[in-house]
Amino acid sequence: MKRFKRIFPWAAVLLCAGAFFSFFHVSGREIAGAAEISDCCRITIAKYPTTEWKEREEVVLKEEQAAQLKELILGGSFTREFSSVVTGFERTAYDIQVDFQDGQRFLSIHCLGGDYISVVDQFGGKHLKNWNKEWVASLEQIMQEASPAK
């Protein structure tokens, strides 16, 4: 009985720590629709300075770039933020729009540099801290290989 009294508090602490981690850590696989990205989708990425969203450089992804983007998102590691407002990010933003061509569903990801992402209609409108240090470099490479939007 004494052993149980010693083990129980530690088990409760570990259980709470696991629940805390699983709530705040978000895998790219948890982004609804990310696993369904395919060459059948129309995917655009727009890059612009955060102060001038009208000065957009927009590209449409081809089949190969769609697969690269899917891999980038699914392999991502993110952390939920408490606040809806974030500061201290790069001054370049990216908008990723995925049209699943079924007339109903879209996946819209707004990236503030490589620091934060926000997925429309997911995660309670909160930003997710991006832990992938190669995020911007990967997006830039994907954009270089894509076709300009018309």
Side-chain angles (χ1 to χ4, degrees):
M1 191 64 156
K2 272 187 168 183
R3 186 183 303 171
F4 178 74
K5 287 182 180 180
R6 284 188 218 157
I7 293 174
F8 182 73
W10 286 108
V13 167
L14 288 175
L15 184 64
C16 289
F20 183 80
F21 177 79
S22 68
F23 175 77
F24 284 99
H25 178 265
V26 176
S27 167
R29 298 190 183 285
E30 293 179 57
I31 297 174
E36 300 169 36
I37 295 174
S38 70
D39 58 338
C40 297
C41 304
R42 183 177 193 282
I43 306 170
T44 59
I45 301 178
K47 174 185 174 182
Y48 56 94
T50 55
T51 56
E52 285 296 327
W53 67 272
K54 291 182 181 180
E55 296 178 22
R56 303 168 77 84
E57 174 189 335
E58 193 167 331
V59 296
V60 177
L61 303 190
K62 300 174 194 166
E63 183 176 321
E64 185 178 317
Q65 289 81 39
Q68 291 172 346
L69 179 66
K70 178 179 179 177
E71 183 179 322
L72 178 66
I73 295 170
L74 291 178
S77 180
F78 311 97
T79 306
R80 293 176 197 256
E81 291 290 317
F82 286 117
S83 175
S84 297
V85 178
V86 293
T87 59
F89 53 85
E90 293 180 29
R91 297 295 173 213
T92 304
Y94 300 85
D95 284 335
I96 302 169
Q97 301 288 327
V98 180
D99 180 358
F100 291 102
Q101 302 293 336
D102 61 4
Q104 297 177 17
R105 298 178 306 135
F106 285 89
L107 174 61
S108 182
I109 301 174
H110 181 69
C111 309
L112 297 170
D115 301 324
Y116 297 96
I117 70 166
S118 177
V119 184
V120 175
D121 295 333
Q122 295 183 39
F123 309 108
K126 305 288 186 191
H127 285 84
L128 302 176
K129 171 75 174 144
N130 187 355
W131 292 104
N132 181 351
K133 299 299 178 198
E134 301 299 319
W135 182 269
V136 170
S138 298
L139 271 181
E140 288 289 337
Q141 180 184 0
I142 290 169
M143 288 182 73
Q144 283 179 351
E145 298 169 2
S147 305
K150 296 175 183 171

